[in-house]
Amino acid sequence: MRKIILLIVFVFAFIRPVSALDVSIPEAPDAAEEYMPEDTESFGDGVWYIFKLVIGKIHPEIVEASGICLSVVAIVLICSLVHGFSDSTKRTTELIAAVMIGILLFRPSEIFLQLGVDTVREMTDYGKLLLPVMTGTMAAQGGTTSSAALYSGTVLFSGLLSTAISNILVPLIYIYICFIVAGSAVGHEQLKEIQKFIKWLMTWILKIILYVFTGYMGITGIITGSVDSAAVKATKLTISGAVPVIGNIIADASETILVSAGVVKSGAGVYGMLAMIAILIGPFLQIGVQYLLLKFTGSVCAIFGVKSTTNLVKDFSGAMGMILAMIGTMGLLLMVSIVCFMKGIG
Amino acid sequence: MDGIGGYVIGIICAAIVCAVINQWSEKKGTHGAILKILTGVFMTITLVSPLLDFDMTGIDSRFSWITADAESAVQNGQILAKDSMAEIIKTQCEAYILDKAAFWELNLSVEVTLSESDPPIPNGVELTGNVSPYAKNQMTNWIVEELGISKEHQVWK
């Protein structure tokens, strides 16, 4: 009995945990902390946790957005009443209504635009911390060519999108807002054409970047994946040709590293995706609620309102939609990249 | 964001100037039509001016910076994998020798050294313990046979 106890003690004393790869996953930024689940091993459970938390916090956002929309409805209602009483003041009433709605909605638009820019910056910054970890673990798994190509592609396209957002899209949204207010106030068709063109241009920029990125990731994944897969097979063949005992030890070690790298990569990927969702969800919710309520307000105003002011409200919701598209595109781009990393080689 | 304000103000001013010219030139016939085209061109240039000012010179260095960063991340991963693999191989080889020593009832401590190659291979061993010459010879031969470490690279202390 004493020998058995001594043997057990001896065995436990010599057991070493096989944590083959010591990699630290970058923590989610402070802003995302409130939405981050404690258990980040399961993606489904994590998303469900974030979703439940978001549903619980949606009420104040709705109340705030509803206040703004009610004010808009009141302005449109007053404008319609004045419009109905006197034909001579029609143009003036429309102009005043456009300016008032413009003033009322410009401030939230500016706040949401800044929020959108900050969110995009936060996602890009977190991506900069997460991507080297994903690249390193994928390279440890044997995907040297794939990981380099995926890293380069993601950094290039996220940088491109980030630059496009801050240097082109944000100014364009400001210009778009100027044009929709001016168009509604003055009633010039040319202004409306330019406004349509700006909206088309913004949508086109986002779509093109996302399409090209997805295409690049897909093609790169197939080509580099097969190269890496062949290299891993060749290495395994070389190892099995070594001295029997050493060959087995090296093969075991190599297998342990491959499995560990895969586990770390999946863990980092799931954590990273949850962190991205946690960064994205708050601002997306705030802007999304305002966007939906403005859409609803536009439809309500269409029942009794003057056409130009109703269109102005709808166009403002379009501007909110563009901010949402901006954040959503960046989030989608980084998520697609993480999924490509997680998919691995071969 | 500092440049946005100036850009928006510039567009508003351009739009006002264009509107005034268009209003004035409405009843001027052919000249009016030409003025309308010119204001259109002026407005377009004002709108796309930030794109014309876009600095393309830094793009080359940016590409090489991204590639260098990718290579560095890949290298880090490879070094990490190689180090971890070396650690496992070293531990397993030492355990393998200690297991045999225990079988022969020898009290030894073992330190295996590995080559710098990829994958790392054991190329030396240091054995410490009070062992008879016969057992030492037996163990030396066994290490040569099983682990491929030559007698010259086996150090007995």
Side-chain angles (χ1 to χ4, degrees):
Chain A
M1 187 64 189
R2 208 177 136 193
K3 277 186 180 173
I4 293 171
I5 292 168
L6 274 172
L7 183 72
I8 291 169
V9 170
F10 181 79
V11 167
F12 272 96
F14 278 89
I15 283 177
R16 293 183 65 180
V18 188
S19 59
L21 286 178
D22 186 21
V23 178
S24 56
I25 303 164
E27 272 187 37
D30 294 343
E33 268 305 316
E34 63 172 318
Y35 293 109
M36 271 311 268
E38 279 176 25
D39 175 26
T40 53
E41 281 174 20
S42 162
F43 181 69
D45 290 348
V47 171
W48 182 236
Y49 173 87
I50 294 171
F51 182 71
K52 279 195 286 188
L53 215 64
V54 162
I55 293 296
K57 288 186 176 181
I58 205 165
H59 190 250
E61 312 292 348
I62 294 175
V63 172
E64 199 179 323
S66 302
I68 296 166
C69 291
L70 278 175
S71 311
V72 171
V73 171
I75 292 169
V76 175
L77 194 64
I78 292 164
C79 170
S80 305
L81 287 172
V82 176
H83 219 265
F85 280 123
S86 161
D87 270 355
S88 56
T89 55
K90 262 184 184 179
R91 199 62 248 146
T92 319
T93 320
E94 278 178 27
L95 194 138
I96 292 167
V99 171
M100 283 179 79
I101 291 170
I103 291 168
L104 191 68
L105 291 180
F106 184 76
R107 187 72 193 130
S109 303
E110 201 183 14
I111 291 168
F112 288 140
L113 200 52
Q114 191 54 50
L115 185 67
V117 171
D118 290 344
T119 310
V120 166
R121 192 178 301 135
E122 208 136 274
M123 279 194 281
T124 318
D125 288 349
Y126 185 70
K128 278 179 192 165
L129 293 176
L130 183 71
L131 287 176
V133 175
M134 299 299 285
T135 310
T137 47
M138 196 173 180
Q141 227 186 352
T144 45
T145 322
S146 311
S147 57
L150 290 180
Y151 179 90
S152 305
T154 311
V155 171
L156 177 69
F157 282 97
S158 63
L160 202 68
L161 183 59
S162 185
T163 311
I165 285 171
S166 53
N167 290 355
I168 301 170
L169 295 180
V170 169
L172 279 178
I173 291 176
Y174 275 112
I175 295 164
Y176 177 76
I177 291 171
C178 290
F179 271 99
I180 58 173
V181 176
S184 176
V186 183
H188 264 253
E189 280 306 310
Q190 288 151 320
L191 289 178
K192 280 175 190 166
E193 283 306 314
I194 295 172
Q195 161 204 327
K196 274 183 199 168
F197 168 74
I198 292 171
K199 197 175 179 184
W200 171 83
L201 185 69
M202 288 191 283
T203 320
W204 183 80
I205 289 171
L206 291 175
K207 271 185 189 172
I208 286 292
I209 291 177
L210 201 58
Y211 288 162
V212 176
F213 172 73
T214 317
Y216 170 85
M217 292 303 252
I219 295 166
T220 314
I222 293 165
I223 295 169
T224 55
S226 53
V227 172
D228 285 333
S229 179
V232 169
K233 274 180 193 164
T235 312
K236 277 184 181 173
L237 270 174
T238 316
I239 290 169
S240 62
V243 185
V245 176
I246 288 300
N248 284 341
I249 290 173
I250 295 172
D252 281 352
S254 168
E255 202 60 40
T256 310
I257 295 298
L258 290 186
V259 172
S260 302
V263 170
V264 173
K265 196 179 69 180
S266 299
V270 169
Y271 184 90
M273 287 217 283
L274 289 174
M276 285 292 174
I277 293 172
I279 295 170
L280 183 88
I281 198 82
F284 202 85
L285 174 83
Q286 264 179 286
I287 303 165
V289 164
Q290 184 71 73
Y291 167 73
L292 287 175
L293 282 178
L294 271 179
K295 276 259 176 219
F296 179 68
T297 310
S299 307
V300 171
C301 291
I303 301 167
F304 54 80
V306 180
K307 199 184 170 192
S308 65
T309 44
T310 307
N311 284 342
L312 178 61
V313 178
K314 285 181 180 172
D315 289 337
F316 259 107
S317 77
M320 296 286 170
M322 287 315 303
I323 305 170
L324 275 182
M326 243 164 53
I327 307 174
T329 308
M330 182 54 97
L332 198 63
L333 191 145
L334 290 169
M335 295 263 204
V336 167
S337 167
I338 295 171
V339 169
C340 285
F341 272 111
M342 285 171 79
K343 188 184 154 278
I345 54 168
Chain B
M1 297 289 276
D2 295 337
I4 297 167
Y7 180 53
V8 172
I9 290 166
I11 286 179
I12 293 167
C13 292
I16 293 167
V17 171
C18 290
V20 170
I21 294 171
N22 281 346
Q23 201 76 32
W24 176 74
S25 65
E26 240 173 24
K27 294 162 191 171
K28 300 271 176 191
T30 321
H31 294 292
I34 293 166
L35 274 173
K36 209 168 187 179
I37 292 166
L38 286 175
T39 52
V41 172
F42 172 64
M43 197 64 210
T44 314
I45 291 169
T46 317
L47 271 172
V48 299
S49 58
L51 295 176
L52 297 175
D53 293 339
F54 192 68
D55 184 21
M56 302 284 278
T57 49
I59 284 181
D60 258 9
S61 63
R62 199 168 178 173
F63 271 121
S64 51
W65 168 75
I66 289 171
T67 315
D69 238 22
E71 278 168 12
S72 150
V74 168
Q75 257 177 9
N76 284 345
Q78 283 176 319
I79 290 168
L80 189 71
K82 197 182 161 189
D83 288 352
S84 309
M85 200 164 161
E87 185 66 32
I88 294 170
I89 293 169
K90 187 178 180 304
T91 313
Q92 287 206 359
C93 286
E94 285 170 359
Y96 193 63
I97 296 169
L98 284 174
D99 192 43
K100 195 66 184 175
F103 181 74
W104 284 335
E105 294 179 347
L106 304 174
N107 189 18
L108 286 176
S109 64
V110 181
E111 176 84 35
V112 171
T113 51
L114 302 171
S115 67
E116 287 296 313
S117 62
D118 193 18
I121 297 164
N123 62 357
V125 64
E126 194 180 287
L127 301 118
T128 315
N130 200 5
V131 182
S132 70
Y134 170 74
K136 195 184 276 185
N137 191 38
Q138 208 178 5
M139 188 54 127
T140 304
N141 289 336
W142 180 81
I143 290 173
V144 172
E145 208 173 290
E146 291 286 310
L147 297 174
I149 302 171
S150 63
K151 283 179 186 175
E152 297 80 52
H153 291 102
Q154 292 183 32
V155 179
W156 284 89
K157 284 186 178 174

